[in-house]
């Protein structure tokens, strides 16, 4: 019997491409739609570079289509062509700072895009979806560790975070309206690292917004110094503490949740944290990265950024209980794999 067909939206991106690899390694058939707004494809190539490498690594085919999920006609064509069993929905714009400058673009892409996707799914009788959500939906933590019962939507300070929250709300309403729907929302903490081969990884456009790719570029000499925002937080060394999760653990979490949602009797909306449950400060990450790259990295302590919080880390027991998933990799693996990816691919997926 052939394994189910999974439609992956945004599958050419960072989390999507690692998950496509994991899906193929688990023998699923994978169809990807991505409009390439944040993924690199060489001129004349059939596939975005990340997926070309995934095909090479797995020896399996990725059925790729350059489609914007806001385009109902094109999405409909995909659903007419393949018999999709479940959707994994990664496609979104994700830069917090940019979302404050162009909120409508974010709301249209992330919210309208998701609702078009859900409508096309419904029209084709596809009712199972795994959604890429974020710990950002919890806003300012009222307690730690953050479990799935923590209130959401309060204190979401930027349009990106709100778009993740609003889409979860839409999905809850949909599941309440019709018991056929089964939606798992995976709330990621801070995905970092790269596949252990160094073949695929995070390839940010321009100056990275996130800590790990920023440190990697300081280590490679592309950026001069790391700026650490805030050294007077209520944490063990004064710098902000976050729950970093290795990208391979995150992708494995998707496949575990998929096995659960594909059970015929699984229905309704449920949210699950994907995190390690451990917090590391910026200085902890820096120390671990210095160990990985074998040199001291220059940094400056600068004032806090508005909206940043002291600490955030997950209670991931519900994911363990429900689909038997736990993170296995620690901060040293995350730094070593990021460094390998950076060294092998100084220009990311671009050849120059
Ligand atoms: N990386 C993180 O730190 C993080 C944390 C929490 C949640 N998430 C969520 O995980 C998902 C994937 O994140 P990522 O880090 O891989 O981002 P990414 O930008 O690397 O990947 C997103 C992909 O979606 C595509 N895309 C965007 N809008 C699209 C549209 N309208 N139609 C088709 N394709 C579209 C982009 O081209 C890109 O390839 C996003 O939904 C993001 O909000 C990411």
């Amino acid at each position: 019997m052939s394994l189910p067909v999974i439609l992956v939206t945004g599958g050419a991106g960072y989390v999507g491409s690692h998950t496509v690899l994991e899906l193929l390694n688990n023998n699923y058939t994978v169809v990807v739609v991505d409009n390439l707004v944040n993924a690199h494809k060489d001129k004349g190539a059939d596939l975005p570079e990340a997926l070309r490498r995934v095909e090479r690594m797995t020896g399996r085919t990725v059925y790729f289509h350059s489609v914007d999920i806001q385009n109902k006609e094109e999405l409909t064509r995909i659903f007419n062509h393949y018999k999709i069993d479940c959707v994994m929905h990664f496609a979104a714009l994700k830069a917090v700072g940019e979302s404050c400058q162009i909120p409508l673009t974010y709301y249209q892409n992330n919210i309208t895009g998701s609702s078009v996707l859900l409508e096309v799914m419904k029209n084709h009788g596809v009712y199972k979806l795994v959604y890429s959500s974020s710990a950002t939906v919890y806003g300012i933590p009222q307690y730690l560790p953050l479990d799935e019962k923590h209130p959401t939507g309060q204190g979401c300070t930027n349009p990106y975070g709100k778009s993740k929250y609003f889409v979860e709300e839409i999905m809850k309403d949909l599941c309440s309206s019709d018991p056929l729907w089964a939606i798992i929302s995976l709330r990621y903490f801070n995905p970092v690292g790269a596949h252990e081969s160094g073949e695929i990884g995070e390839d940010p456009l321009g100056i990275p917004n996130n800590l790990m790719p920023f440190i990697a570029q300081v280590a490679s000499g592309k950026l001069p110094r790391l700026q650490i925002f805030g050294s007077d937080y209520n944490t063990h060394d004064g710098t902000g503490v976050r729950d970093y999760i290795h990208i391979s653990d995150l992708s494995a979490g998707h496949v575990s949740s998929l096995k659960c949602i594909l059970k015929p009797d699984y229905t309704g909306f449920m949210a699950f944290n994907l995190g390690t449950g451990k917090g590391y400060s910026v200085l902890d990450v820096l120390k671990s990265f210095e160990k990985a790259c074998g040199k001291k990295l220059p940094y400056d302590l600068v004032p806090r950024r508005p909206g940043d919080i002291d600490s955030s880390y997950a209670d991931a027991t519900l994911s363990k209980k429900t689909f038997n998933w736990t993170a296995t990799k620690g901060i040293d693996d995350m730094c070593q794999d990021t460094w390998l990816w950076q060294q092998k691919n100084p220009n990311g997926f671009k050849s120059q």
Side-chain angles (χ1 to χ4, degrees), residues 11-87:
Y14 173 47
V15 187
S17 57
H18 286 80
T19 306
V20 169
L21 177 80
E22 190 74 15
L23 288 167
L24 293 174
N25 281 337
N26 280 273
N27 285 321
Y28 292 97
T29 298
V30 178
V31 179
V32 169
V33 292
D34 196 302
N35 67 355
L36 303 178
V37 69
N38 197 28
H40 177 75
K41 179 158 135 353
D42 278 333
K43 264 209 180 98
D46 294 338
L47 288 176
E49 182 57 19
L51 296 179
R52 194 186 68 78
R53 295 187 188 188
V54 166
E55 276 201 341
R56 198 176 58 198
M57 291 157 80
T58 56
R60 301 267 327 274
T61 302
V62 177
Y63 300 94
F64 173 74
H65 299 270
S66 180
V67 165
D68 189 314
I69 55 160
Q70 294 168 87
N71 188 325
K72 194 173 160 187
E73 287 71 37
E74 287 192 18
L75 258 193
T76 298
R77 263 200 294 277
I78 300 292
F79 277 81
N80 286 340
H81 188 76
Y82 299 96
K83 207 200 143 305
I84 310 283
D85 293 288
C86 181
V87 175

Side-chain angles (χ1 to χ4, degrees), residues 14-295:
Y14 173 47
V15 187
S17 57
H18 286 80
T19 306
V20 169
L21 177 80
E22 190 74 15
L23 288 167
L24 293 174
N25 281 337
N26 280 273
N27 285 321
Y28 292 97
T29 298
V30 178
V31 179
V32 169
V33 292
D34 196 302
N35 67 355
L36 303 178
V37 69
N38 197 28
H40 177 75
K41 179 158 135 353
D42 278 333
K43 264 209 180 98
D46 294 338
L47 288 176
E49 182 57 19
L51 296 179
R52 194 186 68 78
R53 295 187 188 188
V54 166
E55 276 201 341
R56 198 176 58 198
M57 291 157 80
T58 56
R60 301 267 327 274
T61 302
V62 177
Y63 300 94
F64 173 74
H65 299 270
S66 180
V67 165
D68 189 314
I69 55 160
Q70 294 168 87
N71 188 325
K72 194 173 160 187
E73 287 71 37
E74 287 192 18
L75 258 193
T76 298
R77 263 200 294 277
I78 300 292
F79 277 81
N80 286 340
H81 188 76
Y82 299 96
K83 207 200 143 305
I84 310 283
D85 293 288
C86 181
V87 175
M88 287 200 157
H89 178 29
F90 297 95
L93 296 173
K94 62 160 185 181
V96 169
E98 186 185 60
S99 78
C100 299
Q101 287 150 12
I102 46 168
L104 278 182
T105 307
Y106 270 67
Y107 287 135
Q108 271 155 14
N109 193 75
N110 295 2
I111 302 179
T112 310
S114 298
S115 84
V116 169
L117 172 69
L118 291 163
E119 193 189 344
V120 176
M121 286 176 66
K122 184 175 159 60
N123 291 344
H124 290 80
V126 180
Y127 290 103
K128 291 181 184 285
L129 180 138
V130 177
Y131 176 57
S132 290
S133 188
S134 166
T136 189
V137 300
Y138 294 123
I140 297 162
Q142 294 174 11
Y143 58 83
L144 289 170
L146 287 159
D147 60 24
E148 292 82 352
K149 292 197 196 87
H150 187 284
T152 56
Q154 298 167 18
C156 282
T157 52
N158 57 77
Y160 165 70
K162 285 181 196 168
S163 75
K164 291 277 126 184
Y165 164 68
F166 292 147
V167 170
E168 277 200 357
E169 293 300 298
I170 291 170
M171 290 173 170
K172 282 181 201 167
D173 289 342
L174 199 55
C175 290
S176 309
S177 75
D178 185 342
L180 284 176
W181 282 100
I183 298 185
I184 285 183
S185 181
L186 298 176
R187 294 177 178 157
Y188 312 166
F189 278 67
N190 295 266
V192 294
H195 187 261
E196 62 183 9
S197 63
E199 285 295 303
I200 54 172
E202 187 172 9
D203 182 16
L205 284 178
I207 295 182
N209 291 313
N210 294 337
L211 177 66
M212 193 69 94
F214 203 108
I215 297 182
Q217 294 199 8
V218 173
S220 72
K222 268 183 134 179
L223 291 170
R225 302 174 74 79
L226 172 68
Q227 289 197 316
I228 298 179
F229 297 99
S231 50
D232 55 353
Y233 285 114
N234 184 20
T235 61
H236 65 274
D237 60 19
T239 65
V241 165
R242 298 288 178 274
D243 184 337
Y244 296 94
I245 169 167
H246 193 290
I247 187 73
S248 298
D249 278 333
L250 192 78
S251 335
H254 283 75
V255 174
S256 304
S257 71
L258 179 67
K259 288 179 180 155
C260 180
I261 205 172
L262 284 172
K263 289 183 187 144
D265 55 347
Y266 189 99
T267 63
F269 177 93
M270 280 279 274
F272 297 93
N273 289 338
L274 291 185
T276 62
K278 285 193 206 75
Y280 290 98
S281 72
V282 178
L283 287 174
D284 292 333
V285 177
L286 183 69
K287 258 182 240 144
S288 172
F289 209 100
E290 287 178 339
K291 213 168 19 162
C293 71
K295 57 188 166 196

Side-chain angles (χ1 to χ4, degrees), residues 323-337:
F323 45 83
N324 197 25
W325 170 87
T326 29
T328 56
K329 293 181 184 256
I331 193 70
D332 287 344
D333 304 302
M334 301 179 208
C335 292
Q336 278 160 21
D337 292 341

